[in-house]
Amino acid sequence: MRQDVQDLQRFPKNDGLPISIDLVRKLSPDSLSVMEFKNKIDFDIAEKMTKFPLLGEKIEDKWNLELHREFNMTDDAFLFHKNSNQGKLPLYEGKIIHQFTHTFSEPRYWIIENEGRKAVLGKKIDAQQKLGYQNYRYAYRSIASNTNERSLICTIIPPCFTGNSLNIADKIDNISQLLCVGLLNSFVIDWLLRQKVTTNINMFYIYQLPVPRLTKNDRYFNDIVQRAAKLICTTPEFDELAQEVGLGSHQQGVTNETERAKLRAELDGMVAHLYGLTEDEFSYILTTFPIVNVTVKEAALEAYRTFVPMFRDLQVAF
């Protein structure tokens, strides 16, 4: 917000920041929107992150994220019931989830499964095929702000129906979903997203995030997946997912807050290394989250330092 007309005469000699057209195209290929970099370190971090493909880019032999919505809270309100009983599934809204948890608050509504199934199928024939609501699904809050404590809030939700304040993905295998949540809940990804959004995180913003498409044959894939699984698989609804990832059951999930904080710090440290960030760059990112508790940021930075030997020979090939 420049107030002095003389800035036009001085620009760009004093504090102008040159941004290449190539970087604009990499970060925003569809709209060519320019990120509001505040200084050179913003630019340097963003440039490192663009080594990875955007989530909206379809890549063969890799997992791909295809987002959509399910029920509209206004148009589909006739399906919603305020009491839960047999034959009904909960309706998940954005406020029910938080990072790595689906129990941040209680559901307000439930939907009779048969009625919800018909609505999801629409004009399609019901051949008793398994539908999205019957699976584990990646979900993130579509309503957020770049001034909140955290902006990108996502997790994996158990079988349920969802309202339009959640965007979901169900055409991705369960293990890759865990990796996706581990990456997207990081400070690094959140920092980049906050340069673009104001109050709503529509699918367009998520698709334009550069993310390492690690698969099970890549280094660090299992390290991230296991930590994300321990944070998410904490209730009986996640027993099948826990077994699939090798935890056994939800009882091997981590509910102790101190242990959860340690796992989250480790994930943040790992992700910073995956993007090739220096300690100064990661430390700078953490300063852009003023509402986050200082101890949380210190733990993430300490985890980054701990993993330096592990990532010293990292070659970006994802």
Side-chain angles (χ1 to χ4, degrees):
M1 296 296 292
R2 297 292 186 177
Q3 306 294 326
D4 186 356
V5 177
Q6 297 304 313
D7 283 344
L8 293 174
Q9 297 178 1
R10 293 190 292 267
F11 183 82
K13 294 180 181 178
N14 292 343
D15 57 353
L17 183 66
I19 302 173
S20 69
I21 295 174
D22 182 58
L23 182 62
V24 173
R25 285 182 175 144
K26 286 179 178 178
L27 288 170
S28 186
D30 297 323
S31 65
L32 297 181
S33 56
V34 180
M35 285 179 55
E36 295 185 20
F37 297 117
K38 300 177 180 64
N39 47 53
K40 189 175 183 302
I41 194 170
D42 281 337
F43 176 85
D44 291 340
I45 294 170
E47 197 165 40
K48 285 185 176 182
M49 295 182 73
T50 58
K51 292 181 292 187
F52 298 99
L54 303 185
L55 271 180
E57 181 182 342
K58 303 298 182 184
I59 303 177
E60 291 187 15
D61 302 322
K62 300 281 187 179
W63 55 268
N64 293 286
L65 199 69
E66 185 177 324
L67 297 164
H68 65 94
R69 292 180 179 178
E70 204 156 57
F71 290 119
N72 183 281
M73 297 303 292
T74 300
D75 296 343
D76 299 310
F78 66 94
L79 292 168
F80 306 160
H81 300 267
K82 291 188 176 182
N83 62 310
S84 63
N85 51 40
Q86 191 173 6
K88 292 179 182 176
L89 287 176
L91 177 75
Y92 271 49
E93 301 174 73
K95 57 188 152 187
I96 289 177
I97 74 164
H98 211 282
Q99 291 187 325
F100 300 107
T101 181
H102 69 295
T103 59
F104 191 65
S105 66
E106 294 293 326
R108 290 192 300 165
Y109 303 111
W110 285 260
I111 296 177
I112 298 172
E113 182 176 359
N114 289 340
E115 294 181 359
R117 183 179 181 85
K118 290 178 182 178
V120 170
L121 281 167
K123 295 181 180 180
K124 296 178 182 177
I125 296 173
D126 190 349
Q128 299 304 307
Q129 65 270 45
K130 198 170 186 180
L131 301 180
Y133 77 88
Q134 297 172 293
N135 300 316
Y136 296 115
R137 294 186 285 182
Y138 166 84
Y140 80 89
R141 288 187 185 182
S142 61
I143 300 172
S145 169
N146 59 9
T147 58
N148 288 353
E149 181 179 28
R150 298 297 298 269
S151 298
L152 182 50
I153 293 172
C154 63
T155 191
I156 293 177
I157 54 175
C160 65
F161 294 112
T162 59
N164 55 278
S165 56
L166 280 180
N167 288 336
I168 51 178
D170 48 26
K171 295 180 180 179
I172 174 175
D173 67 275
N174 293 337
I175 307 299
S176 296
Q177 286 188 56
L178 287 168
L179 174 84
C180 195
V181 172
L183 295 172
L184 296 186
N185 272 334
S186 68
F187 281 114
V188 175
I189 287 287
D190 211 353
W191 168 84
L192 184 65
L193 185 70
R194 285 158 80 106
Q195 313 305 308
K196 302 181 179 186
V197 304
T198 51
T199 56
N200 291 307
I201 306 178
N202 61 41
M203 300 175 195
F204 173 79
Y205 290 121
I206 301 299
Y207 285 143
Q208 293 201 335
L209 291 174
V211 175
R213 303 285 183 92
L214 302 180
T215 60
K216 62 182 179 180
N217 294 322
D218 291 313
R219 291 174 64 188
Y220 317 117
F221 176 85
N222 195 55
D223 294 311
I224 294 172
V225 165
Q226 287 294 317
R227 286 170 172 81
K230 288 177 181 177
L231 289 166
I232 291 171
C233 299
T234 58
T235 61
E237 297 100 317
F238 285 99
D239 277 344
E240 288 185 23
L241 182 58
Q243 290 171 11
E244 185 176 349
V245 79
L247 288 184
S249 76
H250 73 281
Q251 293 181 341
Q252 278 66 55
V254 175
T255 56
N256 178 276
E257 289 303 324
T258 300
E259 294 180 22
R260 288 178 66 83
K262 182 175 183 293
L263 289 172
R264 293 192 58 172
E266 290 172 351
L267 284 170
D268 278 307
M270 286 181 180
V271 174
H273 277 293
L274 277 176
Y275 283 103
L277 303 187
T278 66
E279 182 176 330
D280 286 343
E281 288 168 339
F282 185 43
S283 181
Y284 165 74
I285 283 177
L286 294 172
T287 66
T288 66
F289 292 84
I291 305 177
V292 173
N293 192 293
V294 174
T295 58
V296 172
K297 294 185 282 189
E298 289 176 346
L301 191 58
E302 185 57 36
Y304 172 93
R305 295 175 182 136
T306 300
F307 289 129
V308 168
M310 176 179 169
F311 285 85
R312 184 169 286 131
D313 300 323
L314 173 66
Q315 296 294 318
V316 176
F318 314 121

